[in-house]
Amino acid sequence: MARRLTVFGTGYLGTTHAVCLAELGYEVLGLDIDPVRVAALAAGRLPFFEPGLEDLLRAGLDRGRLRFTTSYEEAAAFADTHFVCVGTPQRGDGYAADLSQLHACIDTLAPLLHSPCLVVGKCTVPVGTAEQISERLSQLSPAGSGAELAWNPEFLREGYAVRDTLHPDRIVAGTRSPRASALLREIYARPLADGTPFLVTDFATAELVKVAANAFLATKISFINAMAEVCEATGADVTMLSEALSHDDRIGGRYLGPGLGFGGGCLPKDIRAFMARADELGVDQALSFLREVDAINMRRRARMVDLARELAGGSFEGRVVGVLGAAFKPNSDDIRDSPALDVAQTIHGLGARVTVYDPAAVPNARRAHPELEYATSALDAARDAHILLLLTEWPEFADADPEVLGKAVAERNMVDGRGALDPERWRAASWHYRALGRP
Ligand code: UDX
């Protein structure tokens, strides 16, 4: 009989993890406290956009390897290995992470754990959290210290969630016993057989690997965007600069893409939570550069608004602005901390009529920003616009025909916030083309 596993929390991480564990051949029970979400998943409907995941969800359900529930009792009795994938968003009152979902999950699950088991934390948490959770688990569980904790951070990117989960770059296992490490090795046998490195660490290191990785990626993006500011002051081209840097193997080109900067449910909140934790630990100076990383990132949004205003003739009053992109990145319908929507909303606030189109994120954007107008195609968003802004680099925007869009707009003004378009092609079609960090 296949090994049984549970997954607590069916957000982005939990759903992907549950589906991929079923794909690896396990019998998986996913739990969420939201009955609407559980019903959707059980019916084979993914509550968010992620290429390839819905097919695997249905395959898991059809094979009878995957089920969903709202019952902690059922989940606790179902398996002796439990993955915890609940959300750890930014707190409403500051930079720190909100751990209320994690604490609620452990406090509900632990008293139901009557025999030895492994609880595996996967969510992103401030360093030191696993230590506390481990103590709480053995205090509250009838199995006592038999209810063991491991910390196994997840590095998946939205848009590549399935690939990143089934073929990860590395598996990090923060464990306190050979038994826990061996169990995780067994569960991940397939990726390990493909050569994925398996690193056994203490809890604190495992927690830190995740936030350090995201801090590094955010720093790399802000580095190139800082160079974009210098390029803007000197007439240099940041796109060429980035490409030239990327040929140095020591630097590499990934996460060196200049533009409107990073958003999403992870990078912004993770660097802020990391700074907040460093403050508590008395090592705030060590991470003070992350304030700068955050500030550079936010300045790109302001610069985008300024460039658009310049093209609008100094004011947005009475101007029509078409916005291409609402998701925080292409291949996603996620609008959490989306640079694109932030810019759209600011320009609307400055008096423009703003119409947004995104291939996947319009329903989410409309819910969060009913004050904006929405279009059903790029062409529709361009209609009668005095300025068009490219804010999320979906391939269909990069491939758009400047002549076709040119016939729809009132004036041929384009601000490319993602360096996604070929300036010569757009200028040849009589567009006034401007881009962040480019002459
Ligand atoms: C990120 C991490 O990559 C992942 O390992 C972690 O588990 C969760 O956080 P994700 O939020 O899905 O994943 O987004 P990612 O693809 O990393 O992009 C983050 C943001 O950076 C996006 O807004 C993207 O547009 C921006 N970005 C990325 C750039 O501005 N330039 C780049 O070169 C790369």
Side-chain angles (χ1 to χ4, degrees):
M1 209 174 75
R3 177 182 287 284
R4 291 173 153 208
L5 304 168
T6 68
V7 175
F8 289 79
T10 60
Y12 222 102
L13 166 59
T15 301
T16 307
H17 195 59
V19 168
C20 288
L21 287 173
E23 181 63 19
L24 289 174
Y26 302 112
E27 250 191 82
V28 182
L29 181 61
L31 175 138
D32 205 289
I33 54 169
D34 176 357
V36 176
R37 184 166 274 253
V38 163
L41 287 167
R45 281 195 316 275
L46 210 55
F48 49 84
F49 176 89
E50 178 61 41
L53 190 60
E54 197 164 80
D55 287 346
L56 291 189
L57 166 68
R58 295 204 177 131
L61 294 168
D62 289 348
R63 290 187 190 124
R65 283 198 207 134
L66 185 57
R67 286 192 303 115
F68 294 92
T69 183
T70 54
S71 161
Y72 268 84
E73 285 77 11
E74 187 187 357
F78 180 79
D80 56 16
T81 308
H82 306 285
F83 286 93
V84 177
C85 298
V86 294
T88 52
Q90 185 176 334
R91 284 172 64 121
D93 60 357
Y95 271 15
D98 173 358
L99 298 179
S100 57
Q101 292 179 46
L102 177 61
H103 289 137
C105 175
I106 296 299
D107 286 5
T108 316
L109 174 64
L112 303 170
L113 299 173
H114 292 277
S115 46
C117 59
L118 187 66
V119 175
V120 187
K122 286 199 77 68
C123 31
T124 304
V125 290
V127 56
T129 305
E131 181 73 52
Q132 289 169 8
I133 296 286
S134 167
E135 274 170 32
R136 185 100 184 128
L137 199 56
S138 41
Q139 268 168 18
L140 293 181
S141 162
S145 58
E148 198 183 337
L149 185 75
W151 213 263
N152 168 221
E154 179 59 57
F155 304 99
L156 68 84
R157 292 161 300 165
E158 296 186 13
Y160 302 90
V162 173
R163 195 174 81 191
D164 286 350
T165 306
L166 291 176
H167 308 284
D169 293 337
R170 73 292 211 190
I171 295 171
V172 175
T175 56
R176 287 217 163 138
S177 75
R179 181 186 83 103
S181 308
L183 187 56
L184 286 173
R185 260 183 211 282
E186 203 184 306
I187 290 168
Y188 294 122
R190 208 161 92 189
L192 293 182
D194 295 339
T196 302
F198 186 83
L199 293 101
V200 177
T201 71
D202 52 79
F203 283 170
T205 306
E207 294 168 310
L208 272 174
V209 174
K210 174 60 193 270
V211 280
N214 276 353
F216 188 84
L217 296 172
T219 303
K220 212 173 164 192
I221 297 167
S222 276
F223 173 83
I224 198 64
N225 284 333
M227 294 305 110
E229 292 188 18
V230 179
C231 286
E232 281 157 11
T234 55
D237 184 337
V238 74
T239 312
M240 289 308 297
L241 175 69
S242 166
E243 193 191 331
L245 290 175
S246 75
H247 293 298
D248 185 330
D249 282 346
R250 295 168 303 172
I251 298 174
R254 297 179 75 192
Y255 286 79
L256 206 61
L260 199 50
F262 58 82
C266 294
L267 259 44
K269 69 118 176 146
D270 285 356
I271 61 167
R272 290 173 192 155
F274 200 12
M275 285 187 267
R277 185 67 185 128
D279 255 348
E280 289 167 7
L281 293 167
V283 287
D284 48 314
Q285 273 191 325
L287 296 190
S288 61
F289 72 95
L290 287 179
R291 271 185 208 289
E292 214 40 61
V293 166
D294 202 2
I296 293 166
N297 193 52
M298 299 310 282
R299 279 208 297 275
R300 289 289 76 190
R301 304 180 187 186
R303 173 70 183 151
M304 186 73 204
V305 173
D306 287 347
L307 264 183
R309 187 175 18 220
E310 231 176 83
L311 256 71
S315 163
F316 286 115
E317 277 308 329
R319 307 301 270 173
V320 179
V321 177
V323 166
L324 304 181
F328 83 103
K329 66 173 187 181
N331 291 314
S332 171
D333 68 352
D334 196 339
I335 56 155
R336 284 176 294 172
D337 205 340
S338 165
L341 274 181
D342 195 2
V343 167
Q345 187 197 14
T346 303
I347 291 179
H348 167 81
L350 292 170
R353 210 187 98 202
V354 179
T355 304
V356 180
Y357 170 67
D358 187 284
V362 165
N364 285 341
R366 195 194 297 276
R367 233 170 283 133
H369 294 283
E371 73 279 12
L372 302 174
E373 291 175 37
Y374 294 93
T376 52
S377 68
L379 193 62
D380 193 16
R383 193 114 30 229
D384 302 327
H386 297 108
I387 320 158
L388 211 51
L389 309 179
L390 192 158
L391 302 182
T392 312
E393 70 280 29
W394 284 90
E396 69 167 78
F397 300 155
D399 298 341
D401 186 334
E403 271 308 332
V404 174
L405 288 181
K407 292 204 176 83
V409 294
E411 289 173 25
R412 295 192 177 197
N413 290 315
M414 164 64 83
V415 190
D416 180 358
R418 293 289 180 182
L421 304 175
D422 175 0
E424 282 177 25
R425 188 168 169 235
W426 284 73
R427 285 180 180 140
S430 306
W431 281 77
H432 192 183
Y433 171 91
R434 299 289 302 272
L436 290 175
R438 289 172 119 178

